Amino acid sequence: PQIREDIGVQFARERDNAIINGDTAADHQDADVSTTTDVRTAFDGLRKYGLARTTTSLATFNIANLRAMVSVMDRYAENEEDLFWLVGLKTRQAVKNLITNIFNAADYVKGVAVNNSRDLRVDDIPVVSTSRQRENVNASGVNELTTNGKGTVLLVNQKAFTVGIRHEMELELFRDPRV
């Protein structure tokens, strides 16, 4: 049972990796993806779509630039309940610091401040963090093996993407060759 669970967890992590970082182009957006068997070559992911559209520079990481990302989405941001921020683990901490700096001491007394990651929101849009979100990219949002000190923030409309499963994963732990 533990092996089956471990394989299932790893499968889910790699599926998430493909959803976030996928790129089917012969020259993958990230220089550290060099084989066609890499899971990130299965289909175009959220970063690929984000980089192909208008991007908002977060060189200055502040609330105004995050709000600018919402306005760039135009009609796709019409219903904020459908949106979520997708960030890496380091960027999650930067978001926490940003929110903490916005609220003053009186707001903490009222219980406005963030208490834990489950409650983390920017303008009432939830922040979801994952280790699969790249935090080793350049200012253009791609990994090019040399100047990769940046992270990425994606604002995702969850109703704009659908993930289907053609066939459930099956795991055979043992096969008796005599049968």
Side-chain angles (χ1 to χ4, degrees):
Q2 184 62 46
I3 292 173
R4 183 183 305 252
E5 182 179 328
D6 290 348
I7 290 173
V9 167
Q10 188 60 35
F11 179 79
R13 285 182 181 150
E14 292 307 313
R15 182 195 61 208
D16 290 351
N17 196 6
I19 290 170
I20 296 168
N21 299 306
D23 182 1
T24 58
D27 267 351
H28 194 277
Q29 64 194 2
D30 296 320
D32 61 348
V33 177
S34 58
T35 65
T36 57
T37 57
D38 190 304
V39 68
R40 295 169 289 183
T41 62
F43 46 83
D44 288 342
L46 298 173
R47 275 184 52 236
K48 175 75 172 186
Y49 287 112
L51 290 169
R53 281 140 184 88
T54 304
T55 59
T56 302
S57 172
L58 294 176
T60 302
F61 192 72
N62 60 30
I63 196 72
N65 285 338
L66 291 174
R67 288 176 177 156
M69 289 178 68
V70 177
S71 66
V72 166
M73 287 187 72
D74 196 30
R75 69 175 192 254
Y76 297 105
E78 183 175 9
N79 188 358
E80 288 187 349
E81 292 176 1
D82 296 337
L83 303 178
F84 66 92
W85 302 98
L86 187 61
V87 301
L89 304 179
K90 292 177 189 172
T91 307
R92 174 185 61 195
Q93 192 58 45
V95 171
K96 283 183 179 182
N97 293 340
L98 178 66
I99 292 172
T100 301
N101 291 333
I102 292 172
F103 296 115
N104 62 32
D107 292 323
Y108 282 109
V109 174
K110 296 176 198 167
V112 175
V114 175
N115 294 322
N116 60 46
S117 295
R118 287 186 318 221
D119 299 332
L120 190 57
R121 291 176 172 269
V122 174
D123 285 349
D124 208 32
I125 300 172
V127 177
V128 177
S129 60
T130 173
S131 62
R132 298 301 185 235
Q133 177 70 319
R134 301 286 313 238
E135 293 191 300
N136 60 343
V137 296
N138 64 19
S140 299
V142 297
N143 179 292
E144 41 97 74
L145 299 178
T146 54
T147 55
N148 297 316
K150 309 281 184 198
T152 53
V153 176
L154 294 173
L155 180 57
V156 180
N157 181 323
Q158 60 189 340
K159 294 202 173 170
F161 296 93
T162 302
V163 176
I165 298 174
R166 183 179 296 171
H167 181 69
E168 289 289 330
M169 180 178 75
E170 293 180 18
L171 178 62
E172 184 177 307
L173 295 176
F174 178 78
R175 176 176 282 201
D176 187 349
R178 297 173 289 174
V179 177

